[in-house]
Amino acid sequence: MKRMNVIVIFDKNLENTLMCKRTKEPYMGMYNLVGGKIEKENDGLNEAYRELEEETNIKKEDIELEYFMNLTYVKWNKEIEAYYGILKHEVELIEEVNKLEWISINDNFFDMTKYAGEGNIGHIIEEIKIAIKSN
């Protein structure tokens, strides 16, 4: 099974989430979550930290990631692992390929003209917001 991850990053005040603006297909020009391919078998959390640092410059000491959910696409033999974390402090972002932007957590992440993933970003973020409120 092809495994990928997405990582929802919140600023330390829980007001914004970090998005990347895609520079290539799929979803060119749309906002997406940070993440990528899981390269090592059964090492999802470390791969999430690796992708996060590569794409943003956010390091393990800047944030504690929590493994939150999976989305499994049986037909396409693909699984997406979703992680989230709240920054402990401000971090100087360094873009790898895609432009990085902070977006208000109150934005409509279900807007499929603006956000990649056919509504999955909205679903993932809303479920995480529920989980954070219940803690």
Side-chain angles (χ1 to χ4, degrees):
M1 180 164 295
K2 182 178 178 182
R3 293 172 59 216
M4 304 172 76
N5 59 35
V6 292
I7 308 151
V8 180
I9 304 302
F10 296 103
D11 64 11
K12 65 181 184 166
N13 299 319
L14 281 171
E15 295 173 351
N16 300 290
T17 188
L18 188 61
M19 291 281 162
C20 63
K21 196 158 192 179
R22 301 274 308 159
T23 58
K24 59 184 178 181
E25 295 296 346
Y27 307 115
M28 187 166 68
M30 299 179 83
Y31 289 102
N32 202 356
L33 295 169
V34 174
K37 295 176 184 161
I38 297 174
E39 296 176 359
K40 297 178 184 170
E41 199 62 37
N42 299 320
D43 198 13
L45 183 59
N46 284 327
E47 286 290 284
Y49 279 114
R50 180 188 60 77
E51 282 288 344
L52 184 60
E53 186 171 348
E54 282 179 8
E55 294 187 22
T56 68
N57 191 47
I58 297 172
K59 297 173 180 58
K60 195 170 186 175
E61 57 267 17
D62 300 320
I63 195 165
E64 183 176 335
L65 294 181
E66 185 166 331
Y67 186 19
F68 187 71
M69 68 189 297
N70 286 351
L71 299 168
T72 303
Y73 298 86
V74 177
K75 184 168 181 78
W76 295 292
N77 199 32
K78 177 173 79 172
E79 182 176 62
I80 298 173
E81 297 180 2
Y83 296 81
Y84 79 92
I86 302 166
L87 283 176
K88 296 175 183 177
H89 49 260
E90 288 189 28
V91 174
E92 180 186 352
L93 299 175
I94 299 174
E95 300 165 353
E96 180 186 39
V97 174
N98 300 307
K99 183 179 178 189
L100 299 171
E101 292 184 38
W102 289 104
I103 308 276
S104 169
I105 64 167
N106 298 315
D107 205 26
N108 177 12
F109 296 103
F110 291 99
D111 180 350
M112 291 189 289
T113 65
K114 185 175 180 181
Y115 294 100
E118 289 73 46
N120 282 335
I121 291 174
H123 172 73
I124 292 167
I125 290 175
E126 289 304 314
E127 291 293 330
I128 291 170
K129 284 164 55 176
I130 291 167
I132 289 171
K133 285 180 187 175
S134 68
N135 284 343

